[in-house]
Amino acid sequence: MEKVVILIPREKDHFHSDLYIEKKEFTDVSINGEEVYSLYKTDTEFLFILLRKFGQKTNTEYWIEEKLIELDKILSIKFPQNDRIIAIHWGGMENSTALINYILPKTDASFKLINGTAYLTFYSDSNDQIRTKTNGAIYKFLLARLKILSFAYLKKMIIKLWLPLAIDIQGLSEVQNDTVKADEYFAEVKNETEYLESLKSFPKDDDFPRWAEIRDKNGYKEFDFKKFLDALTNNDFGLLLNSTNYLRVEEEETEEIKKLKNEVAELEKKSNEEEYEKKKKELEEKMKNPNFLPNWLQDVVGVIDEKIKESSKPKD
Amino acid sequence: MDSTGNKYLFYTKEYSPLFTSLQRYFNYILKQELNLLSQIELLTSTNAILVYQEERENPDLLKIVANNSNIKIIVVGFDSNSSLNLIDFSNIKNNLSKIICSEGSQQRQVFTEIELIDKIQNFFKGHGEESIFQVLNAVMYCFQNYEFYKSGGLTDEEYKDYYVAPAKSQWEKFLIRFDKYKVYLRLLRYNVEVSEIDNYCVILDEFVKNSSELIEVQETEDENNLAKVKKNLGLIKKIDYFFTTISNKLGLMDAPIQSPGS
């Protein structure tokens, strides 16, 4: 379930109305008897807003981490690693030059992950301008942006969690005919218990958008990431080998690839950069092992990219 | 397989599983050693640092990159559409083999030129904050009015509260911002300018921090103080000159520093 946690430092109370959330019920939060925050919590949506203090000296990342610790210690709101949290770090100072245009096109560029936490920085210097730009519905605007960010976050998490395993699978596929080496390699991989365990928690089935479509299109018929993971954690190299087609050695170099390789080498010598890059790309495409897991991963993230693009389109 | 030297990796805890897998891949498949980057003194031109694309902005990494122009940086990632020339994992064996075999290959950039310029633009214009020129201007404003204050145009209290105190706060802001962004200026090959500004900042910092001493001094020290103020104003103008030049060169022309009232 997604959740919203909005934490507003006491000295920034005016943000209640700026965010158009004034109708929501806030709880006063005290630290050492002094009211320092207004807190709004709900379990229906997913948003975590932090407002940066004026003249803050610390690095943004440290500051957010500090606030997360504060939330945990003082308010008992826990943000475990890999939980999907997006903190919106609302910066900006009074009496500044207009930079509202900076907000809309560049927000994704500011998207980062810190210890499993995603945060987005919104810069503002005039709340009036933000209100105008977002037709007054700042809160609505933030939630809309959040939808996009959730996809972006999903993409990063899928890559972050599955890429290491993908590299191991590729490595195993290349040594599988050398029994001693394969056993040794496999032993090392399955020894990564903490990492393998983390894969079970994420992604969930729903996190694979249009998986069936991708699977059918690319012929990943035998791939089942759960089965695959089970085979790994159960030390079953045989099952891994037989039940998936991801441990196939790369195809032998075809005549076509040999020819392409020669052409690329010639073009490199001739310093024909444009043509060289074009041919190089063609060669790389041809040399891709269609069964290599990152290709599959690329398809999954490609679909997420499409969703991000769709969500970014202006709605009538 | 030829090798250009040891490969070093840079990693933070966040991406340790990725680099552990890569270590295994280097060891079993590429027959190379991939080490944890831990000793800066080991870095030479024959070494390479593998950087995962999501970690490009790590401040410690950036310092290493900016201060060691000979290091070969290999950005690895998972984005075949990236504008950066990264080593894409989607064809891992082929791509990694190429970097190991490619003797004397060019250093790869951590950021594209466009990305760097974009960052420098943020430095100059600020994130919804004052431009760097405005921040410098605010510091300069205080000291440009020193003579006015000494001639009786302002009381001690007025000068202290409305000139010295804001100048100190703006100066601190300037230092924080410059410290954060200077690495990007270095990556854009403005090393000389950054070193010069660094030197000026040391002198100016001492002066600004002790600027309260300009108030309530004996008349006999006025002349000496005035000279000191003028000298430091000159340094601020030099910094402004460097920034204006860089801004112009990068096509980021911003409002230059202006005298109060102009």
Side-chain angles (χ1 to χ4, degrees), chain A residues 147-158:
Chain A
K147 198 176 164 193
I148 297 171
L149 286 170
S150 297
F151 286 130
Y153 178 67
L154 176 66
K155 176 179 163 179
K156 279 174 194 277
M157 286 305 284
I158 286 180

Side-chain angles (χ1 to χ4, degrees), chain B residues 238-253:
Chain B
K238 279 185 184 172
I239 294 176
D240 171 66
Y241 171 75
F242 279 129
F243 286 156
T244 308
T245 312
I246 293 170
S247 177
N248 279 335
K249 277 186 188 167
L250 297 177
L252 305 171
M253 192 49 199

Side-chain angles (χ1 to χ4, degrees), chain B residues 38-246:
Chain B
S38 56
Q39 295 179 58
I40 293 172
E41 65 267 27
L42 284 177
L43 297 172
T44 68
S45 58
T46 58
N47 295 141
I49 303 179
L50 266 73
V51 177
Y52 184 55
Q53 66 184 123
E54 297 292 333
E55 293 198 297
R56 286 188 298 155
E57 306 223 21
N58 183 302
D60 295 332
L61 168 75
L62 290 179
K63 272 183 196 156
I64 292 171
V65 175
N67 295 326
N68 299 274
S69 55
N70 289 332
I71 297 172
K72 187 175 168 191
I73 299 293
I74 299 157
V75 182
V76 291
F78 191 66
D79 184 3
S80 54
N81 296 319
S82 169
S83 52
L84 194 76
N85 190 16
L86 55 74
I87 293 298
D88 192 1
F89 283 129
S90 56
N91 200 357
I92 187 173
K93 190 179 182 185
N94 190 29
N95 286 337
L96 286 177
S97 300
K98 269 194 285 189
I99 47 166
I100 288 170
C101 295
S102 60
E103 207 155 337
S105 69
Q106 284 184 339
Q107 179 191 341
R108 285 166 190 271
Q109 296 296 313
V110 183
F111 298 99
T112 63
E113 196 90 348
I114 293 167
E115 285 174 326
L116 284 174
I117 292 175
D118 208 33
K119 285 175 190 300
I120 298 304
Q121 189 160 14
N122 287 337
F123 168 65
F124 283 128
K125 290 191 173 175
H127 293 283
E129 301 170 358
E130 296 101 323
S131 75
I132 202 72
F133 297 106
Q134 284 170 315
V135 175
L136 274 179
N137 194 22
V139 181
M140 207 147 100
Y141 183 63
C142 165
F143 303 111
Q144 279 176 330
N145 279 284
Y146 181 69
E147 269 187 277
F148 180 58
Y149 153 63
K150 288 315 288 181
S151 65
L154 295 163
T155 65
D156 288 349
E157 282 300 304
E158 281 170 338
Y159 190 62
K160 189 177 162 191
D161 293 346
Y162 301 116
Y163 292 80
V164 175
K168 280 185 179 179
S169 132
Q170 292 293 317
W171 175 249
E172 217 166 288
K173 208 183 286 177
F174 170 80
L175 284 182
I176 291 167
R177 203 145 127 195
F178 179 58
D179 195 52
K180 185 181 169 188
Y181 283 94
K182 66 183 175 189
V183 68
Y184 301 114
L185 286 166
R186 285 191 187 277
L187 290 176
L188 276 168
R189 299 171 295 280
Y190 288 108
N191 284 307
V192 176
E193 289 84 346
V194 169
S195 300
E196 282 285 294
I197 296 170
D198 264 339
N199 290 337
Y200 298 157
C201 284
V202 174
I203 302 166
L204 278 164
D205 195 41
E206 175 84 13
F207 172 70
V208 177
K209 273 183 184 151
N210 298 320
S211 54
S212 301
E213 291 170 8
L214 295 170
I215 305 163
E216 295 170 3
V217 291
Q218 298 295 319
E219 272 184 30
T220 48
E221 292 176 44
D222 279 355
E223 211 167 299
N224 188 25
N225 274 337
L226 189 61
K228 214 191 283 179
V229 167
K230 280 184 177 168
K231 184 189 151 203
N232 284 283
L233 269 174
L235 295 183
I236 299 174
K237 281 180 183 166
K238 279 185 184 172
I239 294 176
D240 171 66
Y241 171 75
F242 279 129
F243 286 156
T244 308
T245 312
I246 293 170

Side-chain angles (χ1 to χ4, degrees), chain A residues 52 54 57 59 92-93 95-97 99 102 106 112-116 123-125 156 159-160 163-165 167-168 170-171 174-175 181 184-185 188-189 192 195 250 280-281 284 287-288 292 294-295 297-298 301, chain B residues 14-15 17-22 24-29 31 52 54 57 59-60 77-81 85 88-95 98 118 121-122 125-131 134 170 172-173 176 180:
Chain A
R52 188 172 71 158
F54 174 84
K57 287 179 199 170
N59 172 297
M93 291 163 22
N95 306 319
S96 313
T97 336
L99 270 173
Y102 188 83
K106 299 227 176 163
K112 284 186 185 178
L113 289 167
I114 318 162
N115 295 333
Y123 299 110
S124 75
D125 47 31
K156 279 174 194 277
I159 294 173
K160 184 185 163 195
L163 191 55
L165 182 61
I167 291 167
D168 281 327
Q170 174 66 17
E174 290 171 40
V175 296
K181 210 173 184 182
E184 205 180 315
Y185 200 150
E188 279 192 35
V189 176
E192 301 286 345
Y195 166 65
E250 283 187 48
K280 195 175 81 172
K281 204 157 189 169
E284 283 170 0
M287 286 181 72
K288 271 185 187 177
F292 178 35
N295 293 346
L297 210 48
Q298 188 84 63
V301 298
Chain B
E14 179 90 16
Y15 291 96
L18 173 66
F19 282 109
T20 309
S21 292
L22 269 178
R24 275 193 287 272
Y25 195 84
F26 266 68
N27 180 26
Y28 284 101
I29 310 299
K31 297 180 177 52
Y52 184 55
E54 297 292 333
E57 306 223 21
D60 295 332
F78 191 66
D79 184 3
S80 54
N81 296 319
N85 190 16
D88 192 1
F89 283 129
S90 56
N91 200 357
I92 187 173
K93 190 179 182 185
N94 190 29
N95 286 337
K98 269 194 285 189
D118 208 33
Q121 189 160 14
N122 287 337
K125 290 191 173 175
H127 293 283
E129 301 170 358
E130 296 101 323
S131 75
Q134 284 170 315
Q170 292 293 317
E172 217 166 288
K173 208 183 286 177
I176 291 167
K180 185 181 169 188

Side-chain angles (χ1 to χ4, degrees), chain A residues 118-136:
Chain A
Y119 81 86
L120 165 72
T121 305
F122 279 101
Y123 299 110
S124 75
D125 47 31
S126 159
N127 299 318
D128 282 341
Q129 286 177 16
I130 293 176
R131 198 174 292 132
T132 311
K133 201 85 182 174
T134 58
N135 296 323

